[in-house]
Amino acid sequence: MNRLVLDNAQARRIFLDRHALSEAPQGDARGPALLGLIERLGFVQLDSINTLARAHDLILFSRRPRYRPKALKTLYEKDRALFEHWTHDAAVIPMGYYPYWHLRRQRDADRLRERWRDWRRDGFEARFQTVLDQIRDHGPVSSSEVGTGEARGSGGWWDWHPSKTALEYLWRSGALCVVGREGFQKRYDLTERVLEQSVCDPARAPDHRTTVNWCCSGALDRLGFATPGELAAFWDHVTMTEAKAWCTSEQAAGRLQPVTIIGADGTPRDSFARPEIAADPALEIAPTKRLRVLSPFDPALRDRKRAERLFGFDYRIEVFVPAAKRTYGYYVFPVLEGDRLVARVDMKAFRDRDTLQVRALWPEPRVRWSKGRAAAFEAEVQRLTKLAGVSQVAFDNGWLRAD
């Protein structure tokens, strides 16, 4: 049988469809509708940087412009429809997936204990019971409410006091849940007090094989096509070895087939997909031409190498790069139009001035910043003011950096 080849346009259509970026950005963005969107994406990454809006808020807004941050807070903290844990980074995840994090919690328990013992967190294990007793007796706490009298440094993650480290370890390994955030500071409570026993009981957790199958299958559903490495990286608690074995087993059972994906530069890449991908409805649907600004941590972009292969878009976030050495800016947003990433924009909300300031925009090579495209961009920026909490837009002199 001939190997299926997806050209670059086909691959983009499938990929954007799986990331809810193919259809026009519209629809309800509260309660069950918002939860359904997060389930479709798998999870939403959390990030503290708030130049325009926090990453999780922009991720949801870019797909549902009626979204407001209060809706996510309600879903997470009041409805308990989401839980917080790690994928490749901190994320909010549908509560129905909680049992499948048992393997991750087990692996974190072993890995972090050894790593943190060797990383200047002396005494954190001795704080476990004290921290648990405090929460049991006095209710949810933040890191600033534990470890009274312990030496505190600059406050960075590398400078945690022992009780802060204990909190994080007990959360990552399952004894605690994060029940919400004040500002961006996590609040922790006893898992047994937050979740039903049927959800959090380790004895009822899916076994190893079931978890690996769920992780790899769920990753493929949300990527459309993938290598074993991309499957393993999606939730980030399945190993490459486990993902490779899953692909081999699923291919032998006829539930997976090898495909060749053509990159933006014409380079072929071997991947796996479901056998029915050749008839996928997304192949017949042209992505909306609606221009939209994406978060640097958007699910479609978090794998920078994959984004570069599919879209020819070379993106590196420069928040940790000294200002004088930045190519673009501190926190630059990709701009999507149809199935192309057409620009990147540096902008910031100054809430004390009630203004969203557009500092600079760089069109991608071979993208002409026409009057129509400029009008579409300005309309999108105006929509973003609702999320940013300001009412007006201002453009710096020389903001358009077109050649």
Side-chain angles (χ1 to χ4, degrees):
M1 183 173 67
N2 292 331
R3 185 187 185 97
L4 177 66
V5 177
L6 294 179
D7 66 32
N8 187 242
Q10 292 173 316
R12 292 189 197 196
R13 286 188 174 190
I14 288 173
F15 187 71
L16 290 171
D17 171 77
R18 297 306 193 271
H19 288 82
L21 289 171
S22 185
E23 65 262 32
Q26 60 189 9
D28 192 8
R30 298 172 298 175
L34 181 59
L35 178 60
L37 174 60
I38 297 171
E39 288 173 340
R40 180 174 174 183
L41 299 175
F43 58 89
V44 175
Q45 181 177 341
L46 300 170
D47 191 74
S48 62
I49 297 174
N50 194 12
T51 55
L52 168 66
R54 298 200 193 278
H56 42 283
D57 293 323
L58 182 54
I59 288 167
L60 297 169
F61 181 90
S62 65
R63 291 156 173 83
R64 304 281 173 88
R66 290 160 61 184
Y67 167 81
R68 298 295 180 270
K70 183 179 177 181
L72 184 65
K73 188 175 182 68
T74 297
L75 205 61
Y76 177 17
E77 299 181 14
K78 181 180 177 183
D79 299 342
R80 296 281 176 238
L82 304 168
F83 72 98
E84 183 173 339
H85 210 272
W86 277 64
T87 53
H88 65 294
D89 210 323
V92 285
I93 307 152
M95 186 62 76
Y97 303 169
Y98 187 88
Y100 295 101
W101 257 250
H102 177 65
L103 178 62
R104 175 61 178 262
R105 291 187 290 269
Q106 278 187 317
R107 288 178 169 174
D108 278 357
D110 296 335
R111 179 175 57 87
L112 297 180
R113 189 185 289 264
E114 291 303 316
R115 178 183 293 181
W116 289 357
R117 279 175 181 166
D118 297 334
W119 211 346
R120 297 187 301 167
R121 291 173 172 85
D122 297 339
F124 79 94
E125 292 165 285
R127 304 299 298 168
F128 288 168
Q129 195 58 52
T130 302
V131 167
L132 289 169
D133 289 345
Q134 180 178 346
I135 296 172
R136 183 171 287 108
D137 294 342
H138 302 288
V141 301
S142 65
S143 61
S144 62
E145 297 168 327
V146 296
T148 303
E150 293 176 18
R152 283 164 161 76
S154 63
W157 69 266
W158 60 90
D159 203 14
W160 294 346
H161 57 84
S163 290
K164 161 65 173 174
T165 309
L167 269 177
E168 287 289 304
Y169 180 87
L170 291 167
W171 165 50
R172 296 282 293 272
S173 58
L176 299 179
C177 277
V178 174
V179 292
R181 289 177 179 253
E182 293 179 2
F184 206 69
Q185 189 174 51
K186 295 191 289 287
R187 293 192 65 78
Y188 308 78
D189 201 353
L190 301 175
T191 299
E192 65 195 48
R193 199 155 60 191
V194 177
L195 303 181
E196 297 289 339
Q197 182 71 5
S198 60
V199 174
C200 64
D201 184 357
R204 302 186 188 186
D207 62 22
H208 178 271
R209 181 177 179 180
T210 301
T211 299
V212 170
N213 179 68
W214 183 90
C215 288
C216 292
S217 182
L220 185 60
D221 288 343
R222 292 169 177 85
L223 294 172
F225 49 85
T227 65
E230 289 166 342
L231 295 178
F234 186 84
W235 309 104
D236 200 31
H237 56 268
V238 168
T239 68
M240 172 73 87
T241 299
E242 290 165 338
K244 284 182 177 179
W246 182 83
C247 289
T248 299
S249 175
E250 290 295 291
Q251 184 179 357
R255 294 187 290 269
L256 209 60
Q257 71 173 42
V259 297
T260 297
I261 306 298
I262 304 301
D265 64 355
T267 301
R269 182 177 176 84
D270 292 340
S271 293
F272 288 97
R274 307 282 189 198
E276 56 271 22
I277 197 169
D280 195 294
L283 293 171
E284 304 301 321
I285 302 172
T288 176
K289 289 293 186 180
R290 165 78 169 267
L291 185 146
R292 63 184 118 186
V293 172
L294 301 181
S295 165
F297 298 110
D298 194 278
L301 297 169
R302 70 178 182 89
D303 185 337
R304 310 293 191 208
K305 292 181 179 179
R306 186 180 175 105
E308 186 170 1
R309 286 196 303 271
L310 279 180
F311 299 99
F313 187 74
D314 181 10
Y315 182 87
R316 301 293 181 271
I317 197 161
E318 297 182 287
V319 293
F320 300 116
V321 177
K325 296 183 177 181
R326 290 176 188 147
T327 303
Y328 298 103
Y330 172 75
Y331 197 81
V332 173
F333 302 87
V335 180
L336 176 70
E337 179 190 66
D339 69 348
R340 301 173 67 194
L341 288 157
V342 296
R344 59 195 83 200
V345 57
D346 180 9
M347 57 184 173
K348 179 178 173 60
F350 291 91
R351 295 173 183 89
D352 58 337
R353 305 204 307 253
D354 193 30
T355 300
L356 178 56
Q357 193 80 25
V358 179
R359 295 162 163 169
L361 180 141
W362 298 265
E364 286 295 284
R366 297 180 297 281
V367 171
R368 187 172 69 87
W369 207 249
S370 64
K371 290 183 179 179
R373 187 167 277 139
F377 171 72
E378 290 174 21
E380 177 68 2
V381 172
Q382 191 61 54
R383 283 188 287 267
L384 282 167
T385 60
K386 297 176 182 178
L387 182 65
V390 299
S391 65
Q392 57 189 356
V393 177
F395 292 81
D396 283 2
N397 290 331
W399 67 274
L400 180 57
R401 308 293 177 84
D403 293 335

